[in-house]
């Protein structure tokens, strides 16, 4: 029998063995671990039940890179949310991404908590494209783990790429994707004028 030699292999193997409900529960617990107290975790669970979103703090375990839908659509060459979900899954290596459609269509790639601090200069340049690194002091509305399909009727936030415990988007992949998306959007703007 072959021995599992890396953490990544162990996570991959556990994904094969555990049913989806176990993976959802593990991912939910992992997300809730961003909250400091049991009372805060209970409140987040109630927010998921009542509102379909729980406000989780950023900058500790996780941070987020907000990317406007127009940039993602330019690179994906589609406005179809399900098709964009496939592009994001492939481009970001399966790291979790939230699609938020209320108040403006945006995507949030979840990255390690340190990213806003280490990407300070890059993040400042990205702001003119409405790309923002959200970290310490920010909160993000996170849908329930099982909400992983686009619903045209509700236009509710959902997991464009569902979360897995301890798996975040690689910062380099997010950086490359964002730069390519800005380039694609600029090319479309240039062709239109």
């Amino acid at each position: 029998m072959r021995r599992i030699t890396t953490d990544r292999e162990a996570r991959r193997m556990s994904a094969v063995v555990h049913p989806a409900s176990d993976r959802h529960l593990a991912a939910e617990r992992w997300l809730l671990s961003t909250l400091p107290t049991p009372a805060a975790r209970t409140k987040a669970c109630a927010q998921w039940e009542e509102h379909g979103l729980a406000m989780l703090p950023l900058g500790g375990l996780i941070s987020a890179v907000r990317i406007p839908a127009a940039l993602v659509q330019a690179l994906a060459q589609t406005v179809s949310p399900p098709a964009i979900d496939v592009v994001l899954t492939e481009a970001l290596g399966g790291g979790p991404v939230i699609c938020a459609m209320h108040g403006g269509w945006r995507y949030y790639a979840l990255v390690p908590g340190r990213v806003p601090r280490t990407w300070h200069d890059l993040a400042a340049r990205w702001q003119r494209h409405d790309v923002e690194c959200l970290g310490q002091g920010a909160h993000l509305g996170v849908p329930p783990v099982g909400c992983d399909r686009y619903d045209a009727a509700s236009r509710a936030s959902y997991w464009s790429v569902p979360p897995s415990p301890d798996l975040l988007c690689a910062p380099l992949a997010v950086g490359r994707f964002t730069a390519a998306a800005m380039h694609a959007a600029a090319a479309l703007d240039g062709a239109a004028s």
Side-chain angles (χ1 to χ4, degrees), residues 82-108:
I84 289 171
D85 297 346
V86 171
V87 170
L88 287 167
T89 300
E90 292 172 5
L92 300 179
V97 180
I98 296 169
C99 176
M101 300 187 117
H102 57 282
W105 191 354
R106 300 163 311 285
Y107 288 88
Y108 294 88

Side-chain angles (χ1 to χ4, degrees), residues 186-193:
L188 285 176
D189 287 345
S193 48

Side-chain angles (χ1 to χ4, degrees), residues 137-182:
H139 286 76
L140 180 62
V142 175
V145 172
C147 186
D148 58 3
R149 297 276 186 267
Y150 169 67
D151 180 357
S154 72
R155 296 182 54 87
S157 293
Y158 72 99
W159 288 99
S160 183
V161 182
S164 294
D166 300 326
L167 177 64
L168 293 168
C169 296
L172 183 58
V174 174
R176 286 179 175 161
F177 180 86
T178 302
M182 286 188 282

Side-chain angles (χ1 to χ4, degrees):
M1 183 163 152
R2 190 170 86 75
R3 226 182 125 128
I4 297 173
T5 57
T6 66
D7 288 343
R8 182 177 230 151
E9 259 186 298
R11 281 195 304 273
R12 195 175 324 124
M13 292 299 291
S14 67
V16 172
V17 174
H18 298 291
S21 61
D22 287 351
R23 287 192 310 273
H24 283 176
L25 183 59
E28 182 178 289
R29 286 183 179 162
W30 174 70
L31 288 167
L32 290 172
S33 73
T34 64
L35 295 163
T37 65
R41 291 186 279 278
T42 300
K43 180 179 177 182
C45 289
Q47 289 174 335
W48 275 329
E49 282 290 320
E50 294 172 31
H51 308 292
L53 287 176
M55 297 305 290
L56 300 183
L58 300 176
L61 178 64
I62 60 174
S63 287
V65 177
R66 182 187 68 209
I67 308 168
L71 295 179
V72 176
Q73 292 165 351
L75 186 59
Q77 299 180 359
T78 183
V79 296
S80 164
I84 289 171
D85 297 346
V86 171
V87 170
L88 287 167
T89 300
E90 292 172 5
L92 300 179
V97 180
I98 296 169
C99 176
M101 300 187 117
H102 57 282
W105 191 354
R106 300 163 311 285
Y107 288 88
Y108 294 88
L110 300 189
V111 294
R114 70 183 183 284
V115 168
R117 293 185 302 277
T118 58
W119 281 13
H120 185 268
D121 293 338
L122 181 60
R125 287 189 303 237
W126 283 355
Q127 284 183 333
R128 71 174 185 249
H129 299 281
D130 201 27
V131 175
E132 188 173 2
C133 291
L134 303 168
Q136 198 68 42
H139 286 76
L140 180 62
V142 175
V145 172
C147 186
D148 58 3
R149 297 276 186 267
Y150 169 67
D151 180 357
S154 72
R155 296 182 54 87
S157 293
Y158 72 99
W159 288 99
S160 183
V161 182
S164 294
D166 300 326
L167 177 64
L168 293 168
C169 296
L172 183 58
V174 174
R176 286 179 175 161
F177 180 86
T178 302
M182 286 188 282
H183 181 75
L188 285 176
D189 287 345
S193 48

